[in-house]
Amino acid sequence: MAPKKRPDADRLPISQRIDNRMDNPKRRRLAPTDWAIKGELFLNCSCDLFCPCVVSLGKHPPTEGHCHAWMAIAIDEGHYEGEDLSGLNIGLLVDIPGRMAEGNWKVAAYVDERASGKAYNGILQIFSGQAGGTTGLFTMLVSEIIGAEREKVEIVREGKRRAIYIGRKIQGEIELMEGADPDHPVMISNSKYWMGPDIIAARGLKSRVRDFGRVWDFGGKSAEVCPIDWSGPK
């Protein structure tokens, strides 16, 4: 007698079945912590203008089938367990093999060399997702942290231009896209995107990544600028 097949309704995606039935020793565990960050995040990725991940909330495939990106975070105000994070800069190298929402991200972090020991460790807790709150989803999306380094992370924010420089590793420059009103750039507002509800569209200018075996160039590709107001678990 042929074995009975389980109804399709009972089937789970492979990733979900693995998550539910097997312990993943690489998965970071949540350790909810008191933290908060206000500032700005901007990025440049390998998608054509405009990145479909924003509106689809990561469910639509990136235009190249994968998403390679650098991210820059300028902390205007912030703390981690009482340690001041204000004025610090962070850079991220992000390698996503498919749809953003499906996970398996590989990430490298570059933390401002001016950060104290506690601030450095706190930033890594926040951006690994372990501190919980706004970035807590990273414990599910990021499968591997390929590096974490103290570096001189220079961020420039002038008018419609944004830039990040981390030695020869990341040299990224982007420009906000001008709208019908030149004083108001093209923007997606009131979204449910994880970074924040308002995403300003931008375009990569000079954009090079040379680290951890990655050699990427995003000139002319999709970029985003987003005011952030993130915090730990409420």
Side-chain angles (χ1 to χ4, degrees), residues 105-216:
W105 301 15
K106 293 179 180 169
V107 174
Y110 307 90
V111 179
D112 199 316
E113 63 183 1
R114 298 171 297 163
S116 68
K118 183 174 180 179
Y120 174 82
N121 290 325
I123 286 168
L124 294 183
Q125 291 290 307
I126 291 168
F127 285 93
S128 69
Q130 287 177 270
T134 307
T135 57
L137 77 166
F138 287 172
T139 58
M140 296 181 288
L141 295 176
V142 178
S143 63
E144 184 179 354
I145 297 176
I146 58 178
E149 304 174 353
R150 282 183 179 274
E151 292 284 355
K152 180 180 180 181
V153 182
E154 182 183 0
I155 286 179
V156 177
R157 295 184 284 170
E158 296 177 343
K160 297 176 182 178
R161 180 173 169 269
R162 301 289 187 275
I164 181 172
Y165 304 104
I166 307 175
R168 294 178 178 272
K169 298 177 179 180
I170 298 179
Q171 299 173 333
E173 300 174 6
I174 66 173
E175 185 175 49
L176 280 59
M177 294 184 65
E178 189 173 291
D181 177 351
D183 295 325
H184 186 73
V186 176
M187 175 187 291
I188 292 175
S189 61
N190 195 35
S191 76
K192 294 182 179 179
Y193 198 43
W194 70 271
M195 292 196 310
D198 300 323
I199 308 296
I200 300 169
R203 177 186 291 105
L205 299 175
K206 171 185 175 182
S207 195
R208 295 160 57 91
V209 175
R210 302 286 187 273
D211 204 10
F212 294 102
R214 276 75 174 174
V215 180
W216 299 338

Side-chain angles (χ1 to χ4, degrees), residues 90-113:
I90 299 103
L92 299 176
L93 176 157
V94 183
D95 187 342
I96 304 173
R99 290 178 176 86
M100 181 179 287
E102 292 179 349
N104 293 319
W105 301 15
K106 293 179 180 169
V107 174
Y110 307 90
V111 179
D112 199 316
E113 63 183 1

